[in-house]
Amino acid sequence: MASTTSGSDATTMPAVPLWDLPTRVFHWALVGLVAFSWWSGENHDMDRHRLSGYTILALLVFRVFWGLFGSRTARFSQFLKGPGAVLAYARGLTGRRHAPAFGHNPMGGWSVAALLLALFAMVGAGLFAVDVDGLESGPLSDYVSFEAGRQAAEIHEAAFNVLLALVALHVLAILYYRFVLGTNLLTAMITGKTRPAAGAQVEPVRASPVALVVGIALAGAVAWAISTGLRF
């Protein structure tokens, strides 16, 4: 969740880069793949469900890498703040006192972390999950007992329900920012640009091409290795 300013001050400010292309591709690809994973699971299309899960895993591995070595606004160090910063920001969520952040705000940063953790839990559990009949299973299910595989399946489902709740909160926050605070969060995640508040500290958003190639290669290698059941 990132802050983008609107209003009289914002209209006089030139648009500047906020989110790099890899971050935006990750975001929207994840939205589509989570929806597809739900659909394929509900329709018992397990081949496509597993393929979608491997792709989500690759995206998550890439996002962790990008959170360490990517562009400035994508880095965890930029948006994961301490309790004091979170409380101070929360107190200002009342219109006039609201101070937009350039990138994820302190509350939004932790909502991103929660979403990533829920996704990791969901995908991780799915890798070990076994269905009731033992006919459909994750690629790592051979490393655990049948009972543990069933527990993993339950965790997989529970994590998905937690993810749905977090997504609902995320959407509600976007609506609150748009219609109460007058801040459009959605456009910036589409275009990659925003009009910062007057006087806001704006730093260049740079992404290293070398880091991008390494991140993609690492994500693909991890997802492929796990999809083989670590047998290669």
Side-chain angles (χ1 to χ4, degrees), residues 10 16 25 40 57 69 82 98 101 129 187 212 228:
V16 297
V25 170
S40 58
L57 175 61
F69 304 104
H98 176 56
T187 300
L212 177 60
T228 66

Side-chain angles (χ1 to χ4, degrees):
M1 184 165 27
S3 290
T4 309
T5 306
S6 61
S8 58
D9 288 339
T11 57
T12 62
M13 299 290 290
V16 297
L18 176 62
W19 302 119
D20 59 51
L21 182 60
T23 299
R24 286 178 281 144
V25 170
F26 163 83
H27 180 276
W28 294 114
L30 193 61
V31 171
L33 284 166
V34 168
F36 182 78
S37 291
W38 171 81
W39 176 86
S40 58
E42 287 294 306
N43 288 275
H44 306 288
D45 188 344
M46 299 313 296
D47 288 338
R48 288 193 175 97
H49 188 74
R50 278 189 290 267
L51 182 59
S52 181
Y54 299 147
T55 309
I56 292 175
L57 175 61
L59 286 175
L60 292 174
V61 172
F62 174 80
R63 186 63 185 89
V64 171
F65 178 89
W66 206 239
L68 298 173
F69 304 104
S71 61
R72 190 184 68 82
T73 51
R75 296 195 179 196
F76 299 130
S77 59
Q78 191 273 335
F79 61 80
L80 293 182
K81 305 297 184 180
V86 174
L87 290 173
Y89 183 83
R91 294 190 191 101
L93 287 178
T94 55
R96 293 180 180 179
R97 298 175 57 196
H98 176 56
F102 187 75
H104 289 301
N105 63 62
M107 291 183 68
W110 285 108
S111 74
V112 170
L115 285 164
L116 290 176
L117 287 173
L119 284 161
F120 268 114
M122 181 183 72
V123 174
L127 298 175
F128 295 91
V130 179
D131 70 357
V132 175
D133 300 321
L135 299 177
E136 297 289 351
S137 58
L140 303 183
S141 60
D142 289 345
Y143 295 95
V144 299
S145 66
F146 176 78
E147 290 75 15
R150 289 301 303 143
Q151 290 178 347
E154 293 175 1
I155 294 173
H156 181 68
E157 183 176 352
F160 178 71
N161 291 331
V162 171
L163 178 64
L164 288 181
L166 291 173
V167 169
L169 287 174
H170 191 68
V171 171
L172 287 174
I174 291 172
L175 294 174
Y176 179 83
Y177 274 78
R178 179 66 182 88
F179 295 107
V180 177
L181 300 180
T183 300
N184 190 335
L185 304 179
L186 195 59
T187 300
M189 191 53 73
I190 296 173
T191 66
K193 293 184 177 182
T194 185
R195 295 182 183 275
Q201 183 179 359
V202 178
E203 298 179 20
V205 177
R206 297 190 181 96
S208 167
V210 175
L212 177 60
V213 172
V214 173
I216 292 174
L218 177 64
V222 170
W224 172 81
I226 289 180
S227 72
T228 66
L230 302 178
R231 296 180 178 87
F232 42 83

